[in-house]
Amino acid sequence: MLRESVTEHGTADLLEDFVQLLKPDGSRVANPTFDTWVADVTDEQLVSLYEDMVVVRRIDAEATALQRQGELGLWAPLLGQEAAQIGSARALRDDDFIFSSYRENAVAYCRGVALTDLLSMWRGHSHGGWDPYTVNMAVPAIIIGAQALHATGYAMGIKAEAADSVAITYFGDGATSQGDVNEALVFAASFDAPVVFFCQNNQWAISEPVGVQAKRHISERAPGFGIPSMRVDGNDVLAVMAATRIALDRARGGGGPTFIEAVTYRMGPHTTSDDPSRYRTKDELEEWKGKDPITRLEALLESTGALSDEVRARVKAKADAVAGELRQGVISMEDPHPLSVFDNVYAEPHSWLERQKSQYAAYLETFEGDER
Amino acid sequence: MTTTTTTQLTLGKALNSGLRRALADDDRVVLIGEDIGALGGVFRVTDGLQAEFGETRVIDSPLAESGIIGTAVGLAMRGFRPVCEIQFDGFIYPGFDQIVAQVAKLHYRTRGHVSMPITIRVPYGGGIGAVEHHSESPESYFAHTAGLRVVTCSTPQDAHTMLRQAIASDDPVLFFEPKRRYWAKGEVDEDIADALPLGKARVVREGTQVTLVTYGPLVATAIDAAAAAEDDGVSIELIDLRSLSPIDFDTVEASVRKTGRLVISHEAQQHGGIGAEIAASITERCFNWLEAAPARVTGFDTPYPPASLEEHFLPDLDRMLDTVDRVLGRPNSLSNWEA
């Protein structure tokens, strides 16, 4: 189940050397070890996962549209990574704590982050947007891989308190080249920290293919740190959920950290500022469209009769409603007050900053009455 | 009736007693750093603390500065108050990103929802005959960074008091320890209820003709310089800055309005340094009171030199007094110097 050592067969070109429970055509693959971890998932729950994935894809599309219309400065689409994010996030307990990068919009959605809070960063109204403690999810880290250390430290704190919560950190294939991720693996292993390293290998770090970051499977690195790992089909919501549950269970039981490599694909650009046509082929995208995470779950649900027209219509209505709420929330966001630039730099008073603030306030007052 | 809590301690031992008090007073305080456990730190500042408080609260970390700071961020988010030890000034750079991009900014990033009560202890400065990376003064990098507080102590009492105040602060504090003064002795009172607040400068010696501003390891040098100046009939008002972010400009301003002359001294390189900021800010605030242009006496804009050259790099009593002569218009080394 868990890879404890570096194997002989893990060259990076063997993409599908992973655990898969749900094939792209929607048929189930039997896997006695992993199946037991999702055996309790009912048709109803599968429909719920399907709904999540459809809704977050709709959020993604709406946010991209809002960016194109000038309502957002930037957006980092998760298109194609819905199963990796929903399957893992839905495996978590409310008291588990998430440290993510900036593409985990579906994870934030699962955590109940308000849509306007999620979007305020991309509209340029905040650098983060939400209160991490109300949803047990830190605001996104933009510096690549920095959050892996935060999760590890948080998990060291959990362990010191003898609590059974788990910290989970999300990062991409590019981040695995960063020192911080590697240092996090060292610290997590040394202190048996209850942390899950969840790597979404989406094949691309902006324009650089994963081969620039890793000559062998990323999941093979973890055993060298003393951390067992799993490599799963990241477009298979069941395999992702099973792997995450295994890792969480290990952590809660005092087993320490686990590393999951979820093999997925960033079907969209890195951000709305990116142009993937400069560095990858249409054929590659078409190939991955054939492995779409939503399509395969849809096929499974159709085969079992769980996806009636009525359910389909309900899910679509939900997605449309969320998108409408998102759009309305973004457009009606109030501009922050100019002097709020000085807010929350420090928790306690700071003499020279207060002086700068009062001086800028005096400057602004010279425009009173102007149309400015 | 008050009980006497004063003892004679070295600056290093005063830090140790400050850490012990912080650990005893608040069970959310944890120490993390390299060799701080059984060894007690390379300067013994954490001596005996792991034995007393256990390995969960005094943590020997892997050798990774970014890891030390980054895990402290996570611990802080979980509600702990981490005190990180960076072994030497020149070792802080691998942790620089976590300090300036995470520790400094998380309160702002989260619109005040998250606080970063992290203290980062850094032995700094030269004068100990060390190899490269063991004598630097990197305080300006951090004073330049919004979201951080930067302080430094010069006496055993301040070492003890300011460290406890830093740990109690809900803001991140870079705590620079003048390593060549670790063995300086002084009275330390553990009752710090009425102590000077963390962000305030202290007038060490009152004077009328020149304001000499310095901090950390050079305060002792400046005390000697002021005494020597007095013998020469020159009255120096000496200010120990203590806090480099924020700088207590009000105290400096009040002094310069009295003396009309300002000299700033630090070991760190001159360009873009604390002295530059003080010269500019005080010129803005006190232009009409100044009798001479503010002057700096600092380390040179070179890398910290090999040990056999450090006496030339480090400001000493004579260079301080030469600069005092300059602002007084008395003969000095630059009297005949033309640009």
Side-chain angles (χ1 to χ4, degrees):
Chain A
M1 174 169 77
L2 291 165
R3 182 167 283 170
E4 305 269 6
S5 64
V6 175
T7 57
E8 291 302 312
H9 61 281
T11 53
D13 52 336
L14 279 170
L15 192 66
E16 297 189 355
D17 169 27
F18 53 36
V19 173
Q20 185 182 66
L21 303 182
L22 191 57
K23 286 184 184 172
D25 66 6
S27 57
R28 282 282 270 112
V29 184
N31 183 317
T33 313
F34 279 71
D35 281 345
T36 58
W37 290 90
V38 286
D40 63 319
V41 177
T42 61
D43 270 2
E44 197 183 341
Q45 286 168 321
L46 281 175
V47 169
S48 179
L49 293 170
Y50 169 75
E51 180 190 293
D52 284 342
M53 294 204 285
V54 170
V55 169
V56 298
R57 183 169 288 190
R58 187 73 177 79
I59 289 172
D60 206 68
E62 195 68 22
T64 298
L66 283 164
Q67 194 280 334
R68 295 302 183 223
Q69 292 156 6
E71 299 293 345
L72 297 177
L74 189 73
W75 177 250
L78 62 75
L79 184 66
Q81 299 176 221
E82 294 86 353
Q85 295 191 19
I86 296 293
S88 55
R90 287 300 186 203
L92 302 174
R93 276 190 348 209
D94 285 348
D95 63 327
D96 295 332
F97 206 102
I98 299 161
F99 292 85
S100 78
S101 90
Y102 45 77
R103 204 183 301 283
E104 278 68 69
N105 306 308
V107 179
Y109 169 76
C110 291
R111 274 332 239 195
V113 170
L115 294 169
T116 46
D117 286 350
L118 183 65
L119 273 290
S120 72
M121 173 173 127
W122 304 101
R123 193 170 166 84
H125 281 218
S126 78
H127 286 328
W130 64 80
D131 177 355
Y133 298 117
T134 61
V135 291
N136 280 348
M137 178 171 179
V139 298
I142 293 178
I143 301 291
I144 301 299
Q147 72 276 17
L149 279 167
H150 306 166
T152 301
Y154 190 93
M156 288 163 66
I158 291 172
K159 194 181 174 206
E161 293 170 5
D164 76 341
S165 307
V166 178
I168 181 169
T169 178
Y170 289 86
F171 52 90
D173 41 298
T176 63
S177 297
Q178 288 282 358
D180 277 0
V181 170
N182 289 274
E183 291 186 24
L185 292 167
V186 172
F187 277 64
S190 293
F191 298 114
D192 280 325
V195 54
V196 177
F197 293 92
F198 193 95
C199 175
Q200 291 173 84
N201 173 2
N202 71 9
Q203 312 302 318
W204 291 94
I206 306 188
S207 69
E208 296 186 357
V210 65
V212 175
Q213 321 294 338
K215 299 306 283 184
R216 297 174 65 99
H217 291 334
I218 290 167
S219 57
E220 286 183 38
R221 293 188 200 170
F225 288 91
I227 297 174
S229 69
M230 290 172 271
R231 189 168 196 266
V232 299
D233 182 346
N235 284 5
D236 169 355
V237 73
L238 282 175
V240 170
M241 181 172 273
T244 310
R245 286 176 166 182
I246 290 166
L248 292 167
D249 189 62
R250 279 193 80 242
R252 285 193 223 292
T258 306
F259 190 103
I260 297 169
E261 178 188 0
V263 180
T264 180
Y265 191 75
R266 192 195 77 209
M267 291 169 75
H270 164 66
T271 68
T272 46
S273 294
D274 183 30
D275 175 11
S277 72
R278 292 178 70 92
Y279 53 82
R280 69 185 189 191
T281 64
K282 281 181 184 164
D283 288 350
E284 181 183 302
L285 180 60
E286 287 308 311
E287 186 193 328
W288 278 93
K289 279 183 179 171
K291 305 176 194 172
D292 189 291
I294 297 181
T295 311
R296 73 175 78 180
L297 183 57
E298 206 167 22
L300 174 71
L301 290 171
E302 276 168 359
S303 73
T304 61
L307 195 61
S308 63
D309 288 346
E310 187 195 340
V311 169
R312 212 187 284 268
R314 192 194 73 210
V315 169
K316 185 180 182 305
K318 169 85 184 273
D320 288 344
V322 169
E325 188 193 333
L326 171 77
R327 171 169 290 271
Q328 192 52 42
V330 166
I331 290 170
S332 58
M333 246 180 241
E334 278 185 33
D335 284 341
H337 189 278
L339 289 179
S340 70
V341 69
F342 295 101
D343 293 347
N344 302 311
V345 180
Y346 294 93
E348 296 171 5
H350 189 280
S351 53
W352 75 37
L353 196 57
E354 279 153 27
R355 183 180 167 103
Q356 281 186 0
K357 181 177 180 176
S358 59
Q359 289 181 345
Y360 190 60
Y363 171 78
L364 289 177
E365 277 169 20
T366 65
F367 296 100
E368 267 188 6
D370 289 4
E371 290 295 315
R372 178 182 163 130
Chain B
M1 200 179 102
T2 54
T3 52
T4 306
T5 49
T6 302
T7 44
Q8 180 87 7
L9 294 176
T10 64
L11 191 148
K13 289 285 183 195
L15 291 165
N16 179 271
S17 72
L19 290 171
R20 179 175 287 103
R21 279 295 294 261
L23 284 159
D25 289 350
D26 184 351
D27 62 10
R28 305 302 283 183
V29 172
V30 294
L31 275 47
I32 181 165
E34 298 160 6
D35 305 301
I36 69 168
L39 183 67
V42 296
F43 290 106
R44 308 294 182 265
V45 170
T46 57
D47 189 31
L49 299 177
Q50 191 182 62
E52 192 171 339
F53 295 97
E55 291 183 2
T56 306
R57 299 195 59 203
V58 181
I59 305 165
D60 260 333
S61 73
L63 267 66
E65 285 75 14
S66 190
I68 292 169
I69 308 296
T71 53
V73 169
L75 283 161
M77 285 194 68
R78 183 72 189 179
F80 290 85
R81 304 184 86 83
V83 182
C84 305
E85 175 172 313
I86 300 297
Q87 198 160 69
F88 282 92
D89 36 59
F91 301 176
I92 200 168
Y93 308 112
F96 194 76
D97 172 66
Q98 284 286 346
I99 296 172
V100 304
Q102 307 298 333
V103 173
K105 296 187 169 70
L106 266 158
H107 190 64
Y108 196 75
R109 186 180 304 152
T110 59
R111 298 200 259 202
H113 290 300
V114 171
S115 292
M116 283 285 119
I118 298 175
T119 303
I120 301 170
R121 295 182 37 243
V122 190
Y124 83 120
I128 63 164
V131 295
E132 197 182 3
H133 315 298
H134 291 68
S135 304
E136 299 183 10
S137 297
E139 62 271 19
S140 286
Y141 298 123
F142 303 100
H144 187 71
T145 301
L148 301 176
R149 291 177 188 275
V150 182
V151 303
T152 180
C153 54
S154 67
T155 67
Q157 180 66 65
D158 270 355
H160 177 92
T161 304
M162 292 172 70
L163 184 52
R164 285 171 61 192
Q165 289 171 329
I167 294 168
S169 171
D170 284 335
D171 285 318
V173 180
L174 268 288
F175 192 92
F176 284 97
E177 302 171 358
K179 70 167 85 76
R180 65 168 143 145
R181 308 294 182 199
Y182 271 142
W183 299 272
K185 285 186 178 171
E187 293 291 312
V188 176
D189 186 348
E190 293 203 9
D191 179 5
I192 62 169
D194 300 323
L196 197 60
L198 196 58
K200 291 286 183 190
R202 173 182 285 118
V203 177
V204 176
R205 175 192 175 114
E206 293 193 359
T208 57
Q209 289 175 280
V210 178
T211 299
L212 175 56
V213 176
T214 187
Y215 54 87
L218 290 185
V219 172
T221 311
I223 288 171
D224 292 344
E230 187 177 34
D231 293 343
D232 198 23
V234 173
S235 172
I236 289 178
E237 178 144 304
L238 174 58
I239 295 176
D240 177 358
L241 216 49
R242 300 186 349 128
S243 178
L244 310 180
S245 176
I247 288 171
D248 179 6
F249 286 120
D250 290 347
T251 295
V252 181
E253 179 179 331
S255 177
V256 171
R257 288 190 182 206
K258 183 171 69 174
T259 63
R261 295 175 186 85
L262 174 64
V263 171
I264 312 117
S265 187
H266 50 64
E267 288 188 19
Q269 285 79 0
Q270 187 171 85
H271 188 90
I274 298 293
E277 182 54 43
I278 293 175
S281 289
I282 293 302
T283 302
E284 285 175 355
R285 292 179 184 221
C286 307
F287 186 72
N288 291 330
W289 283 264
L290 284 169
E291 304 285 344
R296 291 167 287 171
V297 51
T298 68
F300 302 121
D301 290 322
T302 66
Y304 197 88
S308 63
L309 287 170
E310 69 180 339
E311 65 177 294
H312 298 286
F313 180 92
L314 293 170
D316 60 9
L317 181 149
D318 291 322
R319 274 177 65 198
M320 282 184 189
L321 291 180
D322 184 58
T323 310
V324 166
D325 283 340
R326 176 148 41 107
V327 298
L328 282 166
R330 295 168 24 136
N332 67 87
S333 64
L334 298 184
S335 292
N336 300 315
W337 186 80
E338 289 173 30

